[in-house]
Amino acid sequence: MRFLPFLLLAACGGGSTPEPGHPPEIRVLLATFAPSEAVELAVDGAWRLLDADTGEDLESGRDLRRSIAVRSTRLSRPLRLVPGDGRLLIEGRPYPGHLLIRANGERADLILSTDLEDYLPGVIAGEMSAKFHPAALRAQAVMARTYARHRMKERGDDVPWHVTDDTRDQVYIGQPRDPVFADAVQRTRGLILTGAAGPLPGWYHSTCGGHTASAHEVFGVPDSPALVGVPCGYCSISPRFRWDPPIRLPLAYVVERLGLTSAPAAVTVTERRRDGRAGRVRFEAAPPVELTGEDLRFRLGVEKLRSTRIHRIRVEGDAVVFEGGGSGHGVGLCQWGAEGMARAGASAADILTHYAPGAVLGRIY
């Protein structure tokens, strides 16, 4: 997320235990800013500014339009901006819930606190197109809720925030305008996927390229029937099913990012996993360097090397050329595969059963 120059306000109390039938509250880290930065905040309607520690009312009014900046190196107190009968807007974008701002060393965290169900439409809108089939959107809603619930339980209540608003967790864009996203959430309200140990991690990705990956092989988690790789012939409709043209990275960039002492004479995939992904890749430099497929991808940048489904790597002049396909880590739900299944007539439950075999679909509220 990008904001205009600004700084924030925030609080970070513990989350309350949800009552039966009520969604829990999730806290989302929107940004961390330096003291010289500022943020444009607005509320269409009534609002209150509170001391987040004591609950003391500091200011209130209607129709807030203000650029808030922190001029000192630290916030003197955490702040909570609570909309009344209006919408909260940050840099003109609407968000549900209330805003928490707290000091973080010499910087400040901007944290949104909101109902889990109100949070989810902004995740689906950040992760999928409104043009996707309703069944695919509903499957995504369940996976996004599952991911969020797992992270909330994993991090616990005594943390400032549960998830970020970017690809470190789930892309989140606030309240989307298109009603299809809220409809997908409403029609799957409270549904998550669980395994023997509770909520599944809820991983998903854009395009597997023909077969999803094992969570054990990618993330090192224990083997689980619901987290194995499965065949997927449905994501061939994805524009990234095959890299055409192949990915070309400057040779100098590859040498620098991998810490090679010389330009490699050749690059070879020395090990392939059961799903066809590159398990290990060897660079014939002096000395040679061998990396796992995941390590290679993260060192080169996940936006540059989109997947470890690498068919062939070659050195070509001043570039390293990667032939392959897919986009993302490959674990869990394949988003374009979900769209392909939905177009073929599959329901959201069918899609989830395919990509998380053995998981149980159930309501948590």
Side-chain angles (χ1 to χ4, degrees):
M1 173 184 297
R2 294 182 180 274
F3 294 103
L4 299 177
F6 83 120
L7 207 78
L8 8 159
L9 53 264
C12 57
S16 58
T17 301
E19 297 176 8
H22 290 74
E25 188 175 76
I26 187 168
R27 297 189 291 277
V28 187
L29 178 66
L30 301 181
T32 299
F33 291 94
S36 61
E37 297 176 305
V39 63
E40 182 181 305
L41 302 176
V43 178
D44 291 334
W47 57 272
R48 292 188 303 152
L49 186 65
L50 311 176
D51 181 311
D53 283 341
T54 66
E56 175 190 356
D57 273 299
L58 303 176
E59 194 175 348
S60 62
R62 292 191 65 84
D63 299 326
L64 176 71
R65 295 286 187 280
R66 184 177 300 174
S67 179
I68 293 182
V70 174
R71 303 301 182 188
S72 61
T73 57
R74 292 181 62 87
L75 286 166
S76 60
R77 66 177 83 185
L79 305 172
R80 187 191 310 268
L81 178 61
V82 182
D85 56 2
R87 297 182 307 165
L88 169 68
L89 295 99
I90 305 173
E91 296 295 334
R93 178 180 292 179
Y95 286 82
H98 54 270
L99 198 59
L100 310 168
I101 300 176
R102 67 172 198 124
N104 182 356
E106 294 187 352
R107 302 172 71 85
D109 291 335
L110 183 65
I111 302 167
L112 182 76
S113 186
T114 189
D115 180 298
L116 177 57
E117 295 296 303
D118 290 339
Y119 158 74
L120 291 171
V123 173
I124 307 172
E127 294 283 356
M128 270 190 174
S129 167
K131 296 180 180 179
F132 270 35
H133 192 283
L137 293 172
R138 293 169 195 169
Q140 175 66 67
V142 173
M143 293 304 289
R145 186 181 294 106
T146 301
Y147 181 92
R149 193 62 182 134
H150 181 269
R151 286 290 283 162
M152 292 170 73
K153 293 182 76 68
E154 184 178 56
R155 291 185 61 84
D157 282 338
D158 298 326
V159 293
W161 48 268
H162 301 114
V163 293
T164 64
D165 71 342
D166 55 29
T167 54
R168 287 174 291 174
D169 284 302
Q170 306 186 107
V171 177
Y172 173 64
I173 64 168
Q175 288 181 314
R177 294 181 179 178
D178 198 308
V180 299
F181 303 114
D183 181 74
V185 173
Q186 191 277 327
R187 290 176 181 272
T188 63
R189 179 181 171 83
L191 289 174
I192 67 167
L193 292 175
T194 61
L200 291 180
W203 286 307
Y204 53 88
H205 59 281
S206 168
T207 307
C208 72
H211 199 292
T212 64
S214 159
H216 172 69
E217 292 181 329
V218 175
F219 297 126
V221 300
D223 270 322
S224 164
L227 298 173
V228 298
V230 298
C232 171
Y234 302 100
C235 65
S236 59
I237 59 176
S238 168
R240 291 185 172 178
F241 182 71
R242 292 291 178 266
W243 302 332
D244 186 16
I247 295 172
R248 298 178 65 90
L249 298 180
L251 181 58
Y253 172 83
V254 173
V255 169
E256 178 187 1
R257 297 289 291 187
L258 301 187
L260 304 179
T261 57
S262 63
V267 187
T268 308
V269 177
T270 58
E271 176 187 308
R272 289 201 179 274
R273 293 186 172 150
R274 291 170 292 178
D275 58 19
R277 284 177 169 75
R280 299 194 68 82
V281 178
R282 180 182 175 90
F283 289 77
E284 299 295 347
V289 171
E290 190 164 302
L291 305 167
T292 66
E294 283 74 30
D295 193 16
L296 173 64
R297 183 169 177 247
F298 279 100
R299 289 201 193 187
L300 295 180
V302 297
E303 297 302 322
K304 294 184 181 294
L305 186 57
R306 301 185 190 116
S307 167
T308 58
R309 186 167 291 286
I310 303 166
H311 300 156
R312 182 187 174 207
I313 311 174
R314 66 180 187 275
V315 179
E316 190 176 274
D318 61 355
V320 179
V321 180
F322 297 83
E323 298 177 12
S327 181
H329 50 62
V331 177
L333 176 78
C334 173
Q335 293 170 315
W336 275 99
E339 174 66 3
M341 288 188 68
R343 291 184 189 181
S347 68
D350 295 332
I351 294 168
L352 295 167
T353 299
H354 177 73
Y355 289 107
V360 175
L361 182 64
R363 295 189 186 278
I364 53 173
Y365 45 79

